[in-house]
Amino acid sequence: MVPAVVKKKRAFAVGLVAAVASAALLPRGANAHPEVSPLLVNRYLSLIVVGGRVEFFVTLLYGALPAAEVRKGLDRDGDGRISEAERQQGQDVWKARAGELARLALDGAPLPLAGATADLQLGADTGAGPAPLVVEVYGAQPLPDGTRQLRLEPGWDPPKLGETELMLDLSSDWELVSSRLGSGPVEQLSRYKLEGPRTAASQDRAVTFVVRSTSPPVRRPRIVLFSAVLGTLAAAGLGLEIARRRKK
């Protein structure tokens, strides 16, 4: 079963193409999410902590003009249309690039993004011209109970990069302890916004979230002990029954 918080995130991602297509209808200065631009690529890196797992999402929201180059590359036979087979091929390429798009670490140890799933969304326009598109790469890794440190860092910067948002969502059995952008101050924020591409190779654009589980851990040792006691009593009872029958 897919957790409700993950379903909500997936529904948000699926609606991005429609959001881009209708962006021109928004009044100037409207603070809509996601923010879109026909000239830029906006990037959203999200972590969802739910139960015993952390879900990660890397979403690239291509405006019409930067998307034209991507669409042209997808149109392998040059007929001006992107077939389903061509879309799938492009989707597989993005899937293979998962580890290049972002870096994720748990308690200082890198978590592999390999094996993630990719979704390439063209919307209603399957042409090879200027029209928005969305690329999303997502997956999950186990997350043990306790206090955990999650470090999320943007990887490859797409050409014409606009804004980058790094976000954290928590289910009710987790809480945010602290957050920090690069070597900046310790805060308690679940969202950070960066403008433009990396300005220097040494620039630290990673966000570190410290989270803590709030649900009490399952006390499995008691269950095991209880089962062992029942087994011992059952064995003892069987032994007494055999001894009783032998006396007859």
Side-chain angles (χ1 to χ4, degrees), residues 7 41-42 57 156 218:
K7 287 182 178 179
V41 180
N42 287 337
F57 298 83
W156 170 76
V218 178

Side-chain angles (χ1 to χ4, degrees), residues 4-225:
V5 66
V6 177
K7 287 182 178 179
K8 180 179 178 181
K9 166 62 184 168
R10 297 296 302 126
F12 166 80
V14 170
L16 286 178
V17 171
V20 178
S22 61
L25 301 179
L26 295 174
R28 180 176 292 274
N31 186 20
H33 285 284
E35 295 181 9
V36 296
S37 168
L39 304 176
L40 300 174
V41 180
N42 287 337
R43 174 173 58 185
Y44 302 88
L45 278 67
S46 306
L47 296 179
I48 297 177
V49 177
V50 54
R53 61 198 286 122
V54 54
E55 306 272 348
F56 60 84
F57 298 83
V58 179
T59 306
L60 301 176
L61 176 54
Y62 279 78
L65 292 184
E69 287 298 315
V70 178
R71 286 175 175 265
K72 183 178 179 181
L74 292 171
D75 181 23
R76 298 190 176 219
D77 59 11
D79 67 350
R81 311 300 301 176
I82 302 170
S83 67
E84 177 58 20
E86 289 171 331
R87 189 194 70 82
Q88 289 284 350
Q89 288 176 334
Q91 189 166 273
D92 291 341
V93 171
W94 284 105
K95 179 179 179 179
R97 296 182 62 187
E100 179 187 351
L101 301 181
R103 288 175 284 276
L104 177 61
L106 170 61
D107 297 337
L111 288 179
L113 272 63
T117 299
D119 189 12
L120 176 57
Q121 305 169 24
L122 301 175
D125 190 341
T126 59
L133 65 80
V134 173
V135 174
E136 186 170 59
V137 176
Y138 55 95
Q141 290 287 348
L143 185 66
D145 289 336
T147 300
R148 302 295 169 193
Q149 182 188 84
L150 291 167
R151 186 176 188 271
L152 180 62
E153 180 180 9
W156 170 76
D157 287 344
K160 300 186 173 98
L161 177 63
E163 69 176 27
T164 296
E165 287 195 15
L166 299 98
M167 298 164 280
L168 173 71
D169 286 321
L170 301 172
S171 61
S172 59
D173 47 354
W174 289 87
E175 63 182 2
L176 176 63
V177 177
S178 66
S179 64
R180 188 177 189 181
L181 173 61
S183 57
V186 176
E187 304 170 295
Q188 199 173 21
L189 301 177
S190 60
R191 182 187 300 264
Y192 287 86
K193 185 175 179 179
L194 310 173
E195 294 294 341
R198 191 187 307 268
T199 56
S202 59
Q203 184 181 10
D204 188 354
R205 292 159 67 88
V207 172
T208 301
F209 298 106
V210 177
V211 298
R212 179 170 53 215
S213 56
T214 58
S215 299
V218 178
R219 299 185 177 181
R220 293 184 179 88
R222 283 192 176 184
I223 297 174
V224 173
L225 178 61

